C-alpha cells in the first residue's frame, strides 16, 4: 500500500511539473518531505514502544527492572527531544529547496517574457516585409516605430534575463551551501547525542545484577543511585553540546605567516666569528674550543654552590 501511494504521489509531482518545468527539483522537495515524515514515524514508534516498556516494568515486582526501565524512559525522552530537533533541521533543509525553486520560477518567467518579445519582434518584421510595397509612407513609419519598440523591449528583456540568471546562480550556491552545512551539522549533532544517550543506556543496563549460578533470593539490587547518576550525566552532556552546535562556518586554515617559526639550530658564537675571519677561498674546519671549558665548568660549580646555599637557607638550614 505504501509503495502504491508513493508511486502515485511521484506521478502527481511529475504531472504538476509538466506545465512549469523543474521536475527534478520538485521531486527533490517531495522526497525530502518523505524523509521528514519517515523520521517522525520512527520517532513516534520508538517513543510508543518505550512507553509500553515502562508500563510493563511498572507492573512487575522486580525492583531492579522497575528502576532500570524508569531510567531508560528518561533517556528515551532525551532521545526523542534530540530527534525532534533533527526533524526541524530536515524541515529547514526542504524549505531551502523551496526558495531555490522560487528563484528558478522567476528566471523562467523572465525567459518567457523574453520569448514573447522575440515573437512580437518577428511578427512586426513579417508585417513590414508583407506590406512594404503596398503601404504608404505614414504606415511604413508607424510599422518601423513598432519594430523599434519591439527591438527595445527585446533588448530590455534580454538584460533582465541575464541579470536574473547571474543573481539566481549566486543565490543558489549560497543557499545550497548553507543548507548542506546545516544538514551536515544536524546529522553530526544527532550522532553525538545518540552516542551520549545510548552509552548511558548501556551503563544503566549493566547495573542490573548478574544472576548466573546464583540463587534469586541472594541477589540484591544496589544500583538505583548509580542509574540516576548516569542519566543526569547524559542530560548534562547533551545540554552542554546544544550550546556548541550549529558551527556552520568551515574551519579556516591557519595562515603560515602567522604560525610561530621554528627556532634555528644551535650554534656557537665563537664558530661564527672564526668563520667570518677566514677568506672565502680557504676551506678549513673550525678548531675545537677547549680553553673555555674549565672556566665554564668552574662558573657552573660556583653557581651551583650559590644555589645550594640559597636552597639551604630557604629550607631552614636543610642541606639538599
Amino acid at each position: 500500500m505504501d509503495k502504491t501511494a508513493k508511486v502515485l504521489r511521484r506521478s502527481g509531482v511529475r504531472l504538476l511539473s509538466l506545465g512549469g518545468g523543474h521536475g527534478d527539483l520538485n521531486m527533490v522537495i517531495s522526497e525530502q518531505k518523505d524523509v521528514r515524515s519517515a523520521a517522525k514515524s520512527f520517532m513516534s514508534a520508538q517513543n510508543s514502544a518505550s512507553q509500553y516498556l515502562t508500563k510493563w516494568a511498572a507492573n512487575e515486582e522486580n525492583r531492579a527492572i522497575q528502576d532500570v526501565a524508569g531510567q531508560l524512559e528518561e533517556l528515551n525522552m532525551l532521545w526523542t527531544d534530540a530527534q525532534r530537533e533533527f526533524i526541524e533541521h530536515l524541515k529547514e533543509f526542504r524549505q531551502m529547496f523551496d526558495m531555490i525553486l522560487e528563484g528558478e520560477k522567476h528566471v523562467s518567467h523572465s525567459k518567457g517574457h523574453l520569448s514573447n518579445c522575440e515573437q512580437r519582434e518577428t511578427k512586426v518584421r513579417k508585417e513590414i516585409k508583407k506590406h512594404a510595397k503596398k503601404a504608404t509612407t505614414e504606415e511604413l513609419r508607424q510599422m518601423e516605430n513598432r519594430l523599434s519598440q519591439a527591438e527595445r523591449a527585446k533588448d530590455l528583456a534580454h538584460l533582465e534575463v541575464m541579470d536574473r540568471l547571474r543573481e539566481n546562480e549566486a543565490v543558489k550556491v549560497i543557499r545550497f551551501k548553507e543548507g548542506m552545512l546545516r544538514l551536515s551539522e544536524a546529522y553530526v549533532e544527532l550522532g553525538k547525542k545518540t552516542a551520549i544517550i545510548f552509552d548511558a543506556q548501556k551503563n544503566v543496563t549493566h547495573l542490573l545484577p548478574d544472576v548466573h549460578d546464583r540463587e534469586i533470593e541472594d541477589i540484591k539490587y544496589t544500583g538505583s543511585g548509580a542509574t540516576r547518576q548516569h542519566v543526569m550525566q547524559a542530560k548534562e552532556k547533551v545540554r552542554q553540546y546544544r550550546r556548541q552546535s550549529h558551527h556552520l562556518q568551515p574551519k579556516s586554515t591557519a595562515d603560515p605567516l602567522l604560525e610561530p617559526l621554528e627556532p634555528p639550530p644551535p650554534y656557537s658564537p665563537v664558530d661564527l666569528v672564526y668563520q667570518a675571519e677566514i677568506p672565502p677561498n680557504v676551506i678549513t674546519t673550525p678548531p675545537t674550543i677547549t680553553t673555555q671549558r674549565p672556566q665554564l665548568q668552574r662558573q657552573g660549580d660556583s653557581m651551583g654552590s650559590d644555589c645550594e646555599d640559597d636552597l639551604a637557607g630557604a629550607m631552614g638550614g636543610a642541606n639538599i
Side-chain angles (χ1 to χ4, degrees):
M1 186 64 180
D2 293 338
K3 292 183 178 179
T4 305
K6 184 177 292 187
V7 171
L8 292 175
R9 181 184 50 77
R10 289 178 177 175
S11 300
V13 171
R14 291 191 178 96
L15 289 175
L16 291 175
S17 302
L18 290 177
H22 316 295
D24 292 336
L25 190 53
N26 281 301
M27 286 302 302
V28 170
I29 295 172
S30 177
E31 292 299 317
Q32 287 299 323
K33 290 181 180 179
D34 282 352
V35 171
R36 184 168 180 265
S37 177
K40 291 175 67 175
S41 298
F42 174 73
M43 179 188 67
S44 177
Q46 192 169 13
N47 191 32
S48 177
S50 178
Q51 290 177 359
Y52 277 107
L53 175 64
T54 305
K55 183 178 179 181
W56 165 78
N59 295 325
E60 292 293 313
E61 297 180 357
N62 192 316
R63 191 170 66 87
I65 292 179
Q66 290 179 356
D67 179 67
V68 170
Q71 299 303 326
L72 294 182
E73 174 61 20
E74 291 288 331
L75 292 175
N76 178 72
M77 294 172 62
L78 197 63
W79 169 234
T80 301
D81 291 339
Q83 291 180 93
R84 188 175 290 111
E85 293 177 3
F86 175 73
I87 291 171
E88 288 300 318
H89 287 296
L90 292 179
K91 180 180 179 181
E92 294 176 359
F93 186 67
R94 180 184 59 81
Q95 290 175 346
M96 179 268 297
F97 281 105
D98 288 333
M99 291 186 291
I100 290 178
L101 178 60
E102 190 67 23
E104 295 289 338
K105 289 181 178 179
H106 285 302
V107 172
S108 298
H109 178 73
S110 298
K111 289 182 178 180
H113 178 61
L114 175 60
S115 178
N116 292 333
C117 292
E118 290 175 345
Q119 292 176 4
R120 191 178 300 113
E121 180 194 12
T122 303
K123 182 179 179 181
V124 174
R125 288 184 182 276
K126 288 182 179 180
E127 289 180 359
I128 294 176
K129 185 177 180 180
K130 181 179 180 181
H131 301 287
K133 297 180 180 180
K134 299 179 180 179
T136 63
T137 305
E138 181 63 22
E139 292 176 346
L140 287 175
R141 187 178 63 80
Q142 292 178 357
M143 286 188 290
E144 288 177 355
N145 288 336
R146 289 172 54 195
L147 178 61
S148 177
Q149 292 176 0
E151 290 176 345
R152 186 172 180 275
K154 185 193 72 172
D155 294 338
L156 292 176
H158 180 72
L159 291 176
E160 182 184 1
V161 168
M162 298 305 297
D163 291 341
R164 283 193 179 273
L165 276 174
R166 284 192 295 266
E167 180 184 1
N168 183 63
E169 291 302 319
V171 173
K172 190 191 304 183
V173 171
I174 293 172
R175 285 175 174 168
F176 182 71
K177 180 179 180 180
E178 183 179 358
M180 291 305 301
L181 285 174
R182 287 181 180 274
L183 182 66
S184 302
E185 180 64 27
Y187 273 107
V188 171
E189 180 180 355
L190 180 65
K192 295 291 182 63
K193 290 181 179 180
T194 300
I196 293 171
I197 294 169
F198 286 95
D199 278 342
Q201 177 175 307
K202 180 182 66 175
N203 294 331
V204 168
T205 307
H206 272 305
L207 292 173
L208 286 169
D210 295 327
V211 296
H212 302 290
D213 301 329
R214 297 174 62 184
E215 295 294 334
I216 192 66
E217 293 81 3
D218 299 334
I219 298 175
K220 293 182 179 181
Y221 175 65
T222 59
S224 179
T227 56
R228 288 195 298 270
Q229 186 68 22
H230 284 303
V231 173
M232 291 175 61
Q233 289 177 355
K235 290 182 178 180
E236 182 63 21
K237 289 179 180 179
V238 169
R239 185 184 65 82
Q240 291 178 355
Y241 184 84
R242 186 179 295 116
R243 295 177 181 176
Q244 301 173 0
S245 62
H246 307 303
H247 296 302
L248 300 181
Q249 297 298 330
K251 297 181 179 179
S252 60
T253 57
D255 189 352
L257 297 178
L258 301 179
E259 294 181 355
L261 299 176
E262 295 183 358
Y267 62 88
S268 174
V270 178
D271 295 341
L272 295 179
V273 174
Y274 178 81
Q275 293 177 2
E277 295 177 354
I278 299 176
N281 57 353
V282 179
I283 301 176
T284 60
T285 56
T288 304
I289 306 301
T290 58
T291 58
Q292 294 185 2
R293 290 182 180 176
Q295 182 178 358
L296 294 173
Q297 184 67 30
R298 286 195 298 273
Q299 291 177 359
D301 295 340
S302 62
M303 292 174 64
S305 61
D306 294 339
C307 294
E308 290 178 359
D309 294 339
D310 295 340
L311 290 174
M315 296 298 293
N319 190 10
I320 298 177

